[in-house]
Amino acid sequence: MLVVIFVSSDLDLRWNPKLTPSMVADAVAHINCINFKHIILNRMIWRNEPTELYISLSHFNIQKLEMLENNFENLNMTLLSENLAQLKELRIGYGIISIIQPGYFQKLEILDLHFNRIRFTKDFFGNETTCYLPQLVELNLAANSIASIDKLFWCLDNLNVLRLDGNPILGVLKFQLSLSSF
């Protein structure tokens, strides 16, 4: 049974685990209303990232995408950023994501990837010449597998909120222990 709730500019498809990403992508492609700004796809229990859905959503002016409690391990932020260029808020938590391909989001202000299995490399947020998330204000990485934050957030100049609780960050512990030994 497909449950669709329309509230102003929201498209809420949560709690429809029998729907596959391709079924949702096909249904979304046939929606003529282009006013959706917030898409909610929580508890769909998808095992694969819904990449075909990103493409179907590209004709909307999506500003917030929420996909909590899904079961895919990979997140292709490059494909997401190419198809959802207007995205300001991305929430993908309570999952098993461990591999993320970085992407350039010119307008993204809130990135919430809490309760996954994520580990980052130092160039995840940008390289020597480009910051991939230049407008990021809030970043929630709580309860992941981040062991080091050394030079990780170097280009996030607008960041005001950073949540890292519940990560095994060893670099900070070593630093604190070395200070207390004096």
Side-chain angles (χ1 to χ4, degrees), residues 53-151:
L53 181 58
Y54 303 158
I55 297 164
S56 292
L57 291 173
S58 65
H59 72 278
F60 297 107
N61 183 20
I62 305 299
Q63 294 181 9
K64 180 178 180 181
L65 176 60
E66 190 174 313
M67 293 191 293
L68 303 176
E69 297 185 63
N70 283 291
N71 290 329
F72 48 90
E73 293 181 23
N74 299 319
L75 179 60
N76 187 337
M77 289 184 59
T78 300
L79 189 60
L80 255 174
S81 64
E82 290 170 353
N83 288 285
L84 301 174
Q86 303 302 314
L87 204 60
K88 291 185 178 182
E89 186 173 344
L90 178 59
R91 295 189 183 275
I92 305 178
Y94 299 106
I96 60 171
I97 295 172
S98 59
I99 300 168
I100 300 180
Q101 181 179 344
Y104 177 73
F105 286 92
Q106 186 173 349
K107 298 182 179 186
L108 194 67
E109 297 173 359
I110 299 171
L111 179 58
D112 185 344
L113 299 172
H114 69 287
F115 283 92
N116 278 288
R117 299 177 184 168
I118 300 168
R119 295 180 187 173
F120 289 115
T121 59
K122 67 178 182 172
D123 60 346
F124 178 79
F125 294 104
N127 58 32
E128 294 176 4
T129 59
T130 305
C131 186
Y132 302 145
L133 305 166
Q135 301 302 318
L136 198 64
V137 175
E138 183 177 324
L139 179 59
N140 184 355
L141 298 173
N144 276 284
S145 299
I146 300 169
S148 174
I149 57 172
D150 186 39
K151 299 178 185 171

Side-chain angles (χ1 to χ4, degrees), residues 25-52:
D26 186 52
V28 166
H30 292 93
I31 295 175
N32 291 326
C33 176
I34 60 170
N35 295 327
F36 298 120
K37 296 194 184 320
H38 180 188
I39 307 293
I40 303 168
L41 299 167
N42 299 339
R43 292 191 170 187
M44 302 300 276
I45 324 266
W46 289 334
R47 299 213 179 277
N48 295 310
E49 182 181 13
T51 53
E52 65 270 30

